[in-house]
């Protein structure tokens, strides 16, 4: 059973930066492709970014491309999401999850979700 714990969220102003962390335990983190999703109030959970087990390939939603950077440290069993130039529309609860399916963009391809961390960006 894999357990994921997100941290690093907070309240920031537009244009600020945050770095989210996703700490994994109970599995073989270094063998898992991983992803970040977010969910704003009243909206469906949406894909943000994903990274292959080796860190050798990364994927981003168009809405965050060029502003967010996903990375991982397999020695620390931790994945990160560096978020720069934050906008009010980035406000959401951010979740990390383990990818098991085909497509990286759909929640159905993931399992072992964390509890989420709130990011609020004020204008």
């Amino acid at each position: 059973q894999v357990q994921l714990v997100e941290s690093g969220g907070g309240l920031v102003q537009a244009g600020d930066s945050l770095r989210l962390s996703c700490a994994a335990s109970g599995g073989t983190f270094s063998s898992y492709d991983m992803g970040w999703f977010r969910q704003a109030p009243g909206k469906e959970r949406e894909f943000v970014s994903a990274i292959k087990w080796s860190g050798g390939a990364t994927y981003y939603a168009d809405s965050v491309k060029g502003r967010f950077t996903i990375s991982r440290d397999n020695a620390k069993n931790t994945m990160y999401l560096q978020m720069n130039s934050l906008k009010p529309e980035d406000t959401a609860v951010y979740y990390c999850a383990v990818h098991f399916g085909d497509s990286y963009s759909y929640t159905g391809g993931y399992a072992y979700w964390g509890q989420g961390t709130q990011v609020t960006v004020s204008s």
Side-chain angles (χ1 to χ4, degrees):
Q1 184 80 8
V2 179
Q3 294 182 331
L4 303 174
V5 178
E6 301 95 336
S7 62
L11 172 62
V12 298
Q13 294 186 332
D16 286 350
S17 298
L18 277 176
R19 188 175 82 154
L20 305 184
S21 298
C22 171
S25 61
T28 310
F29 177 78
S30 60
S31 68
Y32 300 141
D33 295 354
M34 300 289 295
W36 285 101
F37 282 72
R38 66 187 181 185
Q39 188 166 18
K43 295 188 177 181
E44 293 187 353
R45 194 167 297 190
E46 67 173 2
F47 171 74
V48 175
S49 183
I51 186 167
K52 292 201 60 82
W53 63 273
S54 63
T58 57
Y59 311 89
Y60 297 93
D62 288 343
S63 60
V64 306
K65 202 171 294 183
R67 300 188 298 122
F68 291 9
T69 302
I70 192 171
S71 62
R72 65 191 297 161
D73 185 339
N74 286 343
K76 296 182 177 180
N77 289 348
T78 303
M79 176 178 67
Y80 305 98
L81 186 68
Q82 177 67 42
M83 306 186 296
N84 298 331
S85 303
L86 283 162
K87 304 175 181 180
E89 49 264 44
D90 294 318
T91 295
V93 177
Y94 283 71
Y95 300 90
C96 61
V98 179
H99 178 258
F100 287 108
D102 293 328
S103 171
Y104 286 102
S105 303
Y106 297 99
T107 58
Y110 291 80
Y112 302 122
W113 295 83
Q115 84 291 345
T117 185
Q118 175 72 47
V119 172
T120 303
V121 184
S122 64
S123 58

